[in-house]
Amino acid sequence: MAALTFGFLMDPLESVRVDHDSTFALMLEAQRRGHQVRYFEQPWLRFNGSRAEARMRTVTVRREPGRHFDVLGDALQPLSELDVLFLRKDPPVDAEFIQATQLVELHNGRAPVFINNPTGIRDANEKLFGLRFPELMPETLIARDMAQLSRFVADHPAGTILKPVEGFGGQGIVFMQPGDRNLRSLLEVLTVGGRKAIVAQAYLPESRQGDKRIILVDGEPCGAVLRVPSHDDHRGNMAAGGTPVKTSLTAREREICARLKPSLQERGLYLVGIDVIGDWLTEVNVTSPTGLVEIDKLDDSNVEAKVIDLAERMAGSRK
């Protein structure tokens, strides 16, 4: 097909890990097909009185650590010039992040194909969206009241996972058992003295065998990786030291994907990474889900090609 212009709203390109970063893999695949690749950072986005625009860098990319991109151009460009815009800024989903998702909708012209849709991103908090499907989730409490949270921990002798609502990459996730004398102090820190809600979730012993990241493209599972925690940690996230291991999908995991598909498609959430432990859904990641590179290596596949296929079809039908 004719060359398209792909934009990527992301964290600084200088800091990406070329052997791990899923956004970088998407950029490489778009470039391989002859599309133009532009990237910009959240602070470079603005509204000029009539339309949203951003300072954008047109780049060539290559998988060479330390010299992984060259800048071909650097100019202020309207978002309406983009055929496809990947919103791939890492969490936390804070006020500035929300503002960015609102600004990109003010294109005042031909809208790019959004992956993912900014309204859908705002609607799908990664820790909370799965609670729309309580039958798929382990027992979960969202609260800031320390007495409530303490009772939840006491009621789960196998343990409780405590984590911030806006966290990512395993940051701030704590395993707690009844009777731990650190509980009150820890809850004070996590809830900022009762001013901030956190997630308390029943501990799943299957997590010692790993948690599974499943990548969904337009609601369909396209690959998975099992993330196994180290012996001295409870977190399987690769950013927290988890080891990626080859895996396949179970019937229960396919059922979970099928249950989620209509809600994801309805919200324009085309590239999603869900986390499953045992038979239970724990998170639905919609901002910048990772795992593509690890799945490619373990399965000798090309998950990013399926994403770019979708982007090309959507951009082509819009034209």
Side-chain angles (χ1 to χ4, degrees):
M1 68 178 302
L4 302 172
T5 302
F6 278 65
F8 293 83
L9 171 55
M10 58 187 290
D11 291 299
L13 186 53
E14 289 85 353
S15 64
V16 304
R17 289 173 47 194
V18 300
D19 58 344
H20 167 71
D21 193 274
S22 294
T23 304
F24 194 75
L26 292 164
M27 298 172 85
L28 282 168
E29 180 64 20
Q31 176 182 275
R32 187 187 69 77
R33 299 185 186 203
H35 302 309
Q36 186 179 89
V37 175
R38 299 179 185 176
Y39 103 92
F40 60 100
E41 299 171 24
Q42 193 166 275
W44 303 356
L45 178 64
R46 73 180 198 183
F47 180 76
N48 73 357
S50 62
R51 64 186 182 184
E53 59 189 18
R55 173 196 166 197
M56 298 187 197
R57 287 178 172 174
T58 303
V59 296
T60 58
V61 289
R62 54 186 173 270
R63 195 163 268 149
E64 295 180 24
R67 53 183 305 271
H68 53 281
F69 73 97
D70 291 321
V71 178
L72 304 180
D74 190 330
L76 192 63
Q77 305 282 353
L79 267 60
S80 58
E81 286 192 2
L82 300 174
D83 295 298
V84 180
L85 176 54
F86 282 87
L87 300 178
R88 296 281 302 177
K89 171 73 175 65
D90 281 345
V93 181
D94 54 15
E96 287 192 10
F97 186 107
I98 294 297
Q99 290 164 12
T101 67
Q102 294 169 331
L103 282 174
V104 299
E105 294 177 305
L106 302 174
H107 44 78
N108 195 20
R110 189 189 61 155
V113 169
F114 289 112
I115 302 179
N116 285 319
N117 185 284
T119 303
I121 291 174
R122 293 194 297 269
D123 192 36
N125 178 280
E126 307 195 331
K127 302 295 190 298
L128 306 183
F129 186 73
L131 298 176
R132 297 168 183 260
F133 309 88
E135 73 281 6
L136 304 180
M137 298 279 291
E139 188 178 354
T140 302
L141 170 70
I142 312 294
R144 67 187 68 194
D145 181 88
M146 286 182 278
Q148 261 189 312
L149 291 162
S150 296
R151 284 195 297 272
F152 188 94
V153 173
D155 289 343
H156 292 82
T160 297
I161 293 294
L162 302 172
K163 51 188 175 181
V165 172
E166 304 294 352
F168 72 103
Q171 295 178 9
I173 297 179
V174 178
F175 171 70
M176 185 60 60
Q177 289 181 298
D180 193 314
R181 288 182 294 176
N182 291 304
L183 177 60
R184 181 182 295 275
S185 178
L186 182 64
L187 290 177
E188 289 173 355
V189 172
L190 291 176
T191 67
V192 193
R195 294 190 297 275
K196 191 172 184 178
I198 64 170
V199 181
Q201 205 162 66
Y203 174 68
L204 300 171
E206 301 95 324
S207 64
R208 292 309 305 161
Q209 282 72 57
D211 80 313
K212 192 175 293 187
R213 165 59 57 86
I214 304 171
I215 297 296
L216 283 72
V217 179
D218 198 15
E220 289 292 330
C222 292
V225 57
L226 188 67
R227 305 175 299 180
V228 180
S230 59
H231 72 280
D232 58 352
D233 205 329
H234 59 272
R235 300 169 298 172
N237 309 71
M238 288 177 286
T243 300
V245 174
K246 183 178 175 65
T247 189
S248 58
L249 296 186
T250 66
R252 168 63 170 175
E253 288 159 352
R254 292 189 181 279
E255 175 193 345
I256 291 171
C257 294
R259 287 280 290 110
L260 293 175
K261 180 178 178 177
S263 290
L264 298 177
Q265 289 182 319
E266 177 187 346
R267 292 169 173 81
L269 299 171
Y270 301 113
L271 176 54
V272 173
I274 67 170
D275 295 339
V276 177
I277 298 176
D279 288 336
W280 303 102
L281 174 70
T282 59
E283 290 188 16
V284 180
N285 298 277
V286 304
T287 51
S288 58
T290 61
L292 275 65
V293 175
E294 288 73 21
I295 293 169
D296 287 350
K297 290 178 180 176
L298 291 167
D299 292 348
D300 191 24
S301 62
N302 188 345
V303 178
E304 57 272 25
K306 297 177 181 178
V307 181
I308 301 302
D309 285 344
L310 175 64
E312 289 177 341
R313 289 197 303 271
M314 294 176 67
S317 65
R318 186 191 55 157
K319 283 187 174 183

